Amino acid sequence: FNGAPPLLYVGVDVAKLQPTREQRFLVARELLALWSGNTLVRGFDARGLASLLTAIGRSVDRAFPLLGEPSDLESLTKRVGGALSRKSRAALAEPVAALAANARSLDLAAYLQAAPLSEARAGLLLSGAFDAAVRILAKEAAKPLASETAKLAATIESDPRLADLVGYALSDDHFQARQALRLAIDAL
């Protein structure tokens, strides 16, 4: 981010289209995505992310190992290399070396699956709006929420983000994090 803090622009439509509790969840979720860099890899599959990371790595260090089986690597490496300034290459040297050292244990598919789970957890943690979080995630997954307990449980179990969010909401980790952030009722 070149030393500048990330910026999240919230348009008027968010306020018009979403109730306050949903707004809090959405904003908190996006803030974590921005802070962690997850917004940069949205839309990638594991192979595409491996190609991009390999191209970045090879732009900094020609000996950088292949991550997966990237396609059209030479062209992508040239484009990435052309976009990086000397200062950027220098700043990337240490992270690229660390990535190269851990390339064998890297599981990009697991990372891409975990990123939205972490974002939803952060949204819940900061908003404190479990009901809003469940409604938003169910809507995004195109899964209607039934009023019957058995059908609701089946819907939650059928979606990994919903299942993870419910498990996290009930965990000690969630309550401890809210206390550490002074968001819990008894944390004041």
Side-chain angles (χ1 to χ4, degrees):
F1 296 111
N2 298 332
L7 176 67
L8 177 64
Y9 176 78
V10 180
V12 176
D13 289 344
V14 173
K16 288 181 182 176
L17 298 174
Q18 300 292 343
T20 303
R21 293 172 64 77
E22 280 82 352
Q23 290 174 33
R24 289 182 185 145
F25 172 76
L26 290 167
V27 168
R29 182 176 69 170
E30 279 308 301
L31 286 174
L32 175 81
L34 277 171
W35 177 79
S36 65
N38 292 346
T39 56
L40 301 173
V41 297
R42 285 186 180 157
F44 279 98
D45 60 6
R47 184 177 177 172
L49 182 56
S51 294
L52 178 61
L53 291 174
T54 301
I56 293 169
R58 294 231 167 141
S59 294
V60 174
D61 176 8
R62 296 306 266 161
F64 188 84
L66 283 174
L67 301 178
E69 298 176 18
S71 60
D72 198 22
L73 181 61
E74 189 174 323
S75 170
L76 184 58
T77 301
K78 284 181 183 178
R79 286 188 295 167
V80 168
L84 293 176
S85 67
R86 286 185 200 151
K87 188 176 180 179
S88 295
R89 284 180 212 264
L92 286 170
E94 189 177 324
V96 164
L99 184 61
N102 295 300
R104 290 186 188 263
S105 64
L106 198 58
D107 187 348
L108 296 176
Y111 167 74
L112 291 170
Q113 289 174 345
L117 303 179
S118 296
E119 293 167 13
R121 286 178 175 202
L124 172 64
L125 181 65
L126 296 176
S127 71
F130 175 74
D131 58 328
V134 169
R135 280 193 301 274
I136 292 285
L137 294 180
K139 184 177 179 182
E140 290 174 353
K143 303 214 179 225
L145 294 173
S147 57
E148 270 182 51
T149 306
K151 288 182 181 179
L152 179 60
T155 299
I156 289 170
E157 289 172 0
S158 72
D159 184 79
R161 288 191 311 162
L162 285 169
D164 181 76
L165 188 73
V166 170
Y168 179 66
L170 297 172
S171 73
D172 286 339
D173 289 341
H174 176 244
F175 293 108
Q176 289 170 357
R178 286 190 57 83
Q179 281 190 315
L181 293 171
R182 299 197 178 279
L183 298 171
I185 292 172
D186 62 351
L188 303 172

